[in-house]
């Protein structure tokens, strides 16, 4: 035991001083607004830096264009590593609030619209989705709550977040489909030769 204590003093390392990782994503809340062929995504993150100095928090982001990033309402910096992974730079130790504004493309095919993105996931992630018109989610997400707002003509969803890519397939606006009309024109040309 004495030999162990001597080696410990020589190593000058106190057990538990160094955290297993220097930064954490504690929580994530997303608001997704669909506007025709694009979606505006606002992510509110609760992050924590566990060590002093500038720390990097890796974030899994794909299929989005980052418009704006703030940490505690101050402009924040991002770095992209060789594997194209986005990392948020945290300047100070402790908990902070980060906000990401992003845009993504919405694909339209036949009577469906699809949003495909990869967003950072935390254990308590929450997703609110707002889509114009009266629509249904066909696949890709578990719906916790669906509300139709007739006055604003939007459908609001609360979705269960899960790790990995998010691919939500939705119907098109039911009201818009009702107003679309197909015009079939036929004509007969009669010519009389005398």
């Amino acid at each position: 035991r004495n030999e162990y204590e001597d080696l410990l003093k020589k190593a000058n390392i106190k057990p538990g001083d160094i955290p297993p990782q220097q930064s954490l994503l504690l929580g994530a809340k997303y608001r997704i607004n669909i506007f025709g062929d694009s979606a505006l995504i606002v992510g509110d993150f609760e992050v924590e830096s566990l060590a002093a100095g500038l720390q990097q928090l890796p974030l899994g982001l794909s299929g989005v264009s980052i418009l704006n990033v703030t940490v505690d309402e101050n402009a924040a910096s991002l770095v992209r590593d060789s594997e194209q992974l986005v990392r948020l730079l945290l300047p100070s130790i402790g908990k902070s609030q980060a906000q990401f504004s992003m845009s993504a493309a919405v694909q339209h095919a036949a009577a469906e619209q699809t949003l495909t993105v990869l967003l950072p996931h935390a254990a308590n992630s929450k997703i609110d989705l707002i889509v114009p018109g009266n629509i249904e989610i066909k696949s890709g997400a578990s719906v916790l709550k669906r509300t139709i707002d007739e006055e604003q003509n939007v459908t609001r969803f609360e979705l269960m977040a899960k790790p990995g890519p998010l691919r939500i397939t939705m119907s098109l606006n039911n009201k818009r489909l009702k107003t679309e009309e197909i015009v079939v024109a036929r004509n007969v040309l009669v010519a009389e030769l005398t």
Side-chain angles (χ1 to χ4, degrees):
R1 178 70 185 174
N2 291 337
E3 187 178 343
Y4 170 76
E5 294 292 339
D6 289 341
L7 289 172
L8 199 59
K9 286 178 187 175
K10 288 177 185 175
N12 198 21
I13 297 173
K14 296 178 183 175
D17 277 357
I18 301 172
Q21 59 190 59
Q22 277 70 34
S23 57
L24 295 170
L25 176 61
L26 302 175
K29 293 180 183 174
Y30 297 101
R31 293 182 309 279
I32 304 173
N33 286 291
I34 305 283
F35 300 104
D37 293 337
S38 65
L40 176 64
I41 304 169
V42 177
D44 292 313
F45 302 146
E46 184 179 0
V47 298
E48 184 173 7
S49 177
L50 302 173
L54 191 63
Q55 300 301 325
Q56 297 182 21
L57 176 63
L59 299 171
L61 284 169
S62 178
V64 296
S65 298
I66 299 171
L67 305 174
N68 188 34
V69 182
T70 60
V71 173
D72 291 331
E73 298 183 0
N74 298 317
S77 298
L78 297 174
V79 294
R80 190 179 295 269
D81 62 15
S82 59
E83 300 172 356
Q84 299 299 310
L85 184 67
V86 175
R87 296 175 182 268
L88 173 65
L89 298 180
L90 301 174
S92 59
I93 194 167
K95 292 183 180 178
S96 303
Q97 298 294 324
Q99 187 176 74
F100 278 65
S101 294
M102 302 165 277
S103 67
V106 177
Q107 306 295 327
H108 292 271
E112 294 180 346
Q113 52 188 336
T114 305
L115 173 67
T116 305
V117 293
L118 175 63
L119 300 171
H121 180 75
N124 59 350
S125 293
K126 179 183 172 189
I127 300 174
D128 292 328
L129 174 67
I130 301 171
V131 188
N134 177 3
I135 68 134
E136 298 282 346
I137 290 184
K138 294 184 173 185
S139 66
S142 299
V143 178
L144 300 174
K145 185 178 179 183
R146 177 180 182 264
T147 309
I148 300 171
D149 188 340
E150 295 284 347
E151 187 175 310
Q152 295 183 358
N153 191 29
V154 295
T155 306
R156 301 176 192 275
F157 295 94
E158 266 185 47
L159 305 177
M160 181 183 297
K162 59 182 181 180
L166 181 66
R167 182 179 170 84
I168 304 173
T169 302
M170 301 162 279
S171 64
L172 286 176
N173 183 357
N174 292 344
K175 288 188 177 177
R176 193 173 87 195
L177 289 175
K178 286 179 186 174
T179 59
E180 289 180 357
E181 296 177 359
I182 298 174
V183 176
V184 178
R186 293 184 182 161
N187 63 7
V188 177
L189 181 61
V190 178
E192 182 180 353
L193 298 175
T194 60

